[in-house]
Structure formats: C-alpha cells, structure tokens
C-alpha cells in the first residue's frame, strides 16, 4: 500500500504521465460524454467525502487510498448468506471465498503430492497418508478470520467508518442501509463507489439445483469433507476446485456442457484438462444436468443428458458443486439502484464512462467488461480515487 501511495504522489506530480493516461482531459477538459469536467457542485453537507459500497478487494483498496489522501471515508459491506446459509466477514470474495482459501487448498493438495513422491527421494513416510479435511478447513477458516480482523483494524487505523449493512440508493448522495437485525441507517456522501462484486450463479432450470447443490461460497467453509463430488461447469473456478479435491484423494468429476475454460487459449485449456485427467479427475463432456434428488442417506441422485452419445445418465454423489459462472451482485437485486440514470453503460471501463459526472463510480468484477482480477481492481481503485480527490473531478 505504501508503494501505491508513493506511486500516486509521483504520478500526480508528473502531469505528463497523467495526460497520457487521461488523454481526453489534456485535449480539452471535457469528458467523452461532453459534460464539463467539474463534477462537484455538491451541497457540502454530506457526512462523508466518499462512501464505498462493498468491502472487497476493489472497495477496500479504494477506501484506503481516499483516506490516505486525507478524505473522510466510509465503507459499507454486507454478506447475504448463500442459499446454504454460509456467510463470512469483511474482505469480500478474494479473502473469504476466492483466491485466499483456494490457494491454501491448492497448497494442501500439493503437499499430498509431495508426500506421495517423498519415498522415491529417500523420505521414510508411510505408504498412505490420509487427508483430514476438518483439520485443514479449521486452519484455513481461522486464517481467513484473522484477515477479516486485519481489514477491520486497517479501516480503524485510517479512521474509515465501517458499516456492516446492506445498502441501497435513495439518491445519488444518500444510501439507505439495513443490518442483520433490521436496524436502518442512512449515510450521505459527496462521492459513491459501487464495488459490490458478484456471487456464484445457480441454474434456474434444474430441479433441486439450489436446494441440494452448493457453490464455491460454501465449499471453503465446509466443516467436513464434501466426499464424492460432481463439479458442474468448466470455468477456472470449477477446474481449480476439481483439481484440489482430486488432490485430496476425493472421487471428483467435472461436468462440461461445451468447452473447458471458454475465453481462454484452447490449446492451454486442453493441456490443463489432459493433466487433470492424468491425475484422476473424471470429465463428463457434452453433458447437461437435468435434476438432483436427495436420497434418504443424504446422498444426491443426479440425472443428466449426454448429448454426444444421445442418452440419459444417472449417478450418485455426496456433493454437487455449481461453478457455472457469477452474476453481478447488483443484478441480483442486492444493491437496488433506483436512480434516474441507467446503469447499463456503466459495466464498461469506469474511467471515461459518463457516470463520473453524476457521482457514482462503478467498480465491480465486470467493470471493465471483462472479469477483473483482484489486482486489476486494486489499480482501478487507485485511479478512481486519484482522479476524484486529486484532480477534484
Ligand atoms: C473461487 C474463486 C477463486 C478466485 N481466484 C482468484 C485468483 O486466484 N486471482 C484473482 O485475481 N482473482 C481470483 N478470483 C476473483 C476475485 O476474487 C474477484 O475478482 C474479486 O474478489 C472481486 O472483488 P470486488 O471488490 O469486485 O468484489 P467482492 O470481493 O465480491 O466484494 C464485494 C463486497 O460487497 C458486498 N456487497 C454486495 N452488495 C452490497 C450491498 N448492497 N451493500 C453492502 N455490501 C454489499 C459483498 O457482500 C462483498 O463483500 C477468484 C474468485 C473465486 C470465486
């Protein structure tokens, strides 16, 4: 963070580099939408200079940068429990149900591989070393909780007010929030950043999908092993989860409708799936799910169509994990935005979008029109804050 702040100071004292970044500004002090650059015109009575809705990678980076520039900042973050009832603390997807627990699970799986290889390198380990999910999950979940706490402390240190409430807009400078006990709060700010991220999607047309299936939001918080698992989808989330589940020695199958890793280099995608198959992950290709039924012993009976062989199939699994993509949180109605302007265009790249004039910046997983990584969100957050608070736009 210190490096980023130093970079902000350096960049801001170097107008040439900023002109390169924001060419339209250098060319005529008018935004592409034709509106004047000065956006303030604000009442000056708002409680905060900046309110960030969403305490994930993008939102927290944005809030911290603004506070470091001396602004009065608030962050609003609220996790709606998954259909299974899983919820977590401050830090968003990456910290709680994304990059961090995922990488720790990969590390655990890799340790298993190393143990299996160890005798060939002279280590006297038992021929079969069992994996204990409960113990691993407890360690990972405790670590994630320590990160939640760390984020709280970092906000406090910068005097950023944290609201654990679910926000929705009243107008462009006012957000209404409700906490889990139903208590209501109104927060006003000169500037708003919407950094509400996304959540895993469930199919609407598969009977039992939501009732009996889980998503990555649940997987990382399971106390016990998921057992024999069917992972539906061929996204990177799907393949990564299937990879470490296989690594733990679990019977793991991936159901693919069309191609794996759509949008990625297909030669690389094939290398990935070939390698996974060689490690024991099974693939059901050209298959679509029909329905899930819960059996008396709590296992799941799964029915699907195999389009290549033109036949109906079924099998029994302990867990069905949906990894069929994400939907933006605000599209799920979690951040209703009854404002006079349309948000449809705002899913484009935030810089230079017409929305900067009205007040809110949109900083979501899909802000650039592509899925953004947490690191991209950090940079986006930095640019937003510097433009708003350094250039007073
Ligand atoms: C399994 C998995 C693995 C991943 N691995 C990687 C990886 O290795 N590398 C990488 O770069 N990226 C990875 N990602 C993607 C990365 O996690 C996301 O791109 C990033 O976390 C998105 O950050 P964000 O700030 O936009 O949103 P989020 O982190 O989702 O934060 C948004 C926050 O806003 C809250 N919120 C939503 N609506 C409201 C509201 N109305 N009021 C208040 N709060 C609200 C949400 O509950 C959430 O806490 C992974 C994702 C997943 C699911």
């Amino acid at each position: 963070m210190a490096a980023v702040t130093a970079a902000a100071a350096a960049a801001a004292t170097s107008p040439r580099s900023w002109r390169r970044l924001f060419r339209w500004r250098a060319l005529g002090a008018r935004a592409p939408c034709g509106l004047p650059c000065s956006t303030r015109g604000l009442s000056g009575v708002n409680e905060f200079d900046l309110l960030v809705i969403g305490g994930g990678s993008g939102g927290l980076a944005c809030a911290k940068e603004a506070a470091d520039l001396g602004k009065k900042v608030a962050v609003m973050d609220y996790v709606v429990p998954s259909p299974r009832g899983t919820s977590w603390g401050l830090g968003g997807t990456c910290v709680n149900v994304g990059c961090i627990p995922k990488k720790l699970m990969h590390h655990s799986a890799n340790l298993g591989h190393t143990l299996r290889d160890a005798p060939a390198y002279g280590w006297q380990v038992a021929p079969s070393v069992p994996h204990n999910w409960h113990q691993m999950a407890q360690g990972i979940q405790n670590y994630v909780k320590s990160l939640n706490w760390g984020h709280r402390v970092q906000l406090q240190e910068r005097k950023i007010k944290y609201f654990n409430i679910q926000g929705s807009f009243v107008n462009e400078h006012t957000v209404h929030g409700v906490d889990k006990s139903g208590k209501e709060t109104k927060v006003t700010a000169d500037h708003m950043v919407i950094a509400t991220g996304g959540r895993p999607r469930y199919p609407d047309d598969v009977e039992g999908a939501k009732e009996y299936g889980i998503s990555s939001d649940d997987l990382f918080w399971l106390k016990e092993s998921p057992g024999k698992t069917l992972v539906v989808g061929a996204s990177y989330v799907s393949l990564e989860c299937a990879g470490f589940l296989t690594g733990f020695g679990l019977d793991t199958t991936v159901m693919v409708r069309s191609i794996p890793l759509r949008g990625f280099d297909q030669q690389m995608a094939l290398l990935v799936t070939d390698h996974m198959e060689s490690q024991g992950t099974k693939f059901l290709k050209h298959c679509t799910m029909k329905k899930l039924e819960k059996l008396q012993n709590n296992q799941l009976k799964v029915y699907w169509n195999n389009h290549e062989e033109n036949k109906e199939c079924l099998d029994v699994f302990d867990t069905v994990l949906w990894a069929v993509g994400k939907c933006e949180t605000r599209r799920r109605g979690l951040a209703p935005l009854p404002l006079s302007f349309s948000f449809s265009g705002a899913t484009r790249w935030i810089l230079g979008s017409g929305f900067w004039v009205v007040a809110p910046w949109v900083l979501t997983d899909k802000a650039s029109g592509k899925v953004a990584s947490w690191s991209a969100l950090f940079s986006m957050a930095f640019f937003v804050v510097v433009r708003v608070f350094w250039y007073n736009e």
Side-chain angles (χ1 to χ4, degrees):
M1 190 55 75
V4 175
T5 312
T13 52
S14 164
R16 281 184 60 200
S17 57
W18 282 106
R19 267 189 223 118
R20 268 205 303 275
L21 277 170
F22 307 121
R23 286 180 72 86
W24 52 267
R25 191 173 196 282
L27 289 171
R30 273 188 176 266
C33 54
L35 291 164
C37 274
S38 171
T39 61
R40 280 272 158 123
L42 305 170
S43 63
V45 296
N46 294 320
E47 205 182 338
F48 295 97
D49 295 318
L50 175 70
L51 170 62
V52 178
I53 308 170
S57 310
L60 289 177
C62 206
K64 288 173 195 171
E65 280 304 318
D68 287 347
L69 287 169
K71 298 297 158 187
K72 198 174 172 200
V73 183
V75 169
M76 200 175 264
D77 188 66
Y78 185 87
V79 179
V80 175
S82 73
R84 264 291 174 101
T86 312
S87 68
W88 47 87
L90 181 63
T93 304
C94 178
V95 167
N96 296 283
V97 286
C99 337
I100 304 276
K102 168 197 90 179
K103 273 168 196 158
L104 294 173
M105 290 203 176
H106 279 309
H107 186 59
S108 173
N110 282 341
L111 286 173
H113 280 291
T114 307
L115 279 171
R116 283 190 285 280
D117 288 347
Y121 292 87
W123 290 100
Q124 307 286 301
V125 290
S128 158
V129 183
H131 180 258
N132 184 324
W133 177 285
H134 180 80
Q135 204 172 341
M136 172 194 69
Q138 209 166 36
I140 292 176
Q141 290 160 15
N142 286 342
Y143 179 68
V144 168
K145 284 177 190 164
S146 77
L147 297 181
N148 300 148
W149 177 248
H151 281 303
R152 295 282 292 267
V153 172
Q154 285 175 19
L155 294 186
Q156 267 172 14
E157 282 170 352
R158 288 173 169 84
K159 301 193 170 31
I160 298 170
K161 176 85 179 153
Y162 167 55
F163 295 97
N164 185 204
I165 55 182
Q166 185 181 12
S168 57
F169 276 89
V170 174
N171 60 47
E172 70 221 52
H173 295 294
T174 313
V175 171
H176 170 261
V178 187
D179 74 6
K180 67 173 176 210
S181 65
K183 193 174 149 228
E184 298 182 39
T185 311
K186 255 188 197 154
V187 184
T188 57
D190 287 353
H191 294 279
M192 305 281 179
V193 165
I194 304 165
T196 47
R199 294 289 290 271
R201 201 166 59 75
Y202 287 79
D204 297 324
D205 55 350
V206 177
E207 205 183 309
K210 229 180 200 166
E211 292 92 319
Y212 308 129
I214 64 166
S215 73
S216 54
D217 278 0
D218 306 294
L219 181 70
F220 300 113
W221 292 92
L222 290 181
K223 299 247 179 285
E224 302 302 333
S225 168
K228 180 181 172 184
T229 303
L230 175 64
V231 186
V232 189
S235 59
Y236 80 92
V237 171
S238 157
L239 298 191
E240 287 203 58
C241 293
F244 60 67
L245 293 176
T246 306
F248 301 148
L250 299 175
D251 183 338
T252 309
T253 305
V254 179
M255 183 181 284
V256 186
R257 188 181 54 182
S258 53
I259 54 166
L261 298 174
R262 180 184 294 284
F264 289 81
D265 179 315
Q266 280 303 298
Q267 267 182 317
M268 292 303 294
L270 209 62
L271 282 178
V272 170
T273 50
D274 280 353
H275 176 73
M276 289 178 67
E277 269 179 314
S278 76
Q279 298 299 306
T281 310
K282 291 175 248 174
F283 282 86
L284 294 168
K285 293 173 188 158
H286 304 288
C287 293
T288 50
M289 187 77 113
K290 265 173 66 186
K291 70 170 174 178
L292 275 79
E293 276 172 11
K294 193 160 199 161
L295 302 175
Q296 275 185 340
N297 65 359
N298 280 335
Q299 285 192 302
L300 300 172
K301 195 167 180 181
V302 179
Y303 300 80
W304 70 89
N305 288 324
N306 182 325
H307 299 288
E308 207 166 45
E309 294 170 17
N310 204 16
K311 64 176 187 189
E312 293 183 359
C313 310
L314 70 86
D315 197 356
V316 174
F317 295 87
D318 297 309
T319 301
V320 171
L321 172 69
W322 292 104
V324 290
K326 295 221 287 177
C327 60
E328 285 174 78
T329 308
R330 64 197 169 86
R331 292 233 172 103
R332 295 171 67 232
L334 299 178
L337 303 163
L339 296 178
S340 53
F341 47 85
S342 150
F343 266 76
S344 59
T347 48
R348 282 183 282 116
W349 176 238
I350 43 168
L351 297 176
S353 93
F355 289 84
W356 63 276
V357 177
V358 194
W361 293 80
V362 176
L363 187 65
T364 71
D365 228 342
K366 297 221 167 170
S368 63
K370 296 175 184 159
V371 176
S373 66
W374 67 266
S375 49
L377 287 162
F378 264 55
S379 343
M380 283 152 68
F382 164 75
F383 285 126
V384 168
V385 167
V386 172
R387 263 191 68 184
V388 172
F389 291 120
W390 198 283
Y391 277 90
N392 210 22
E393 289 172 350

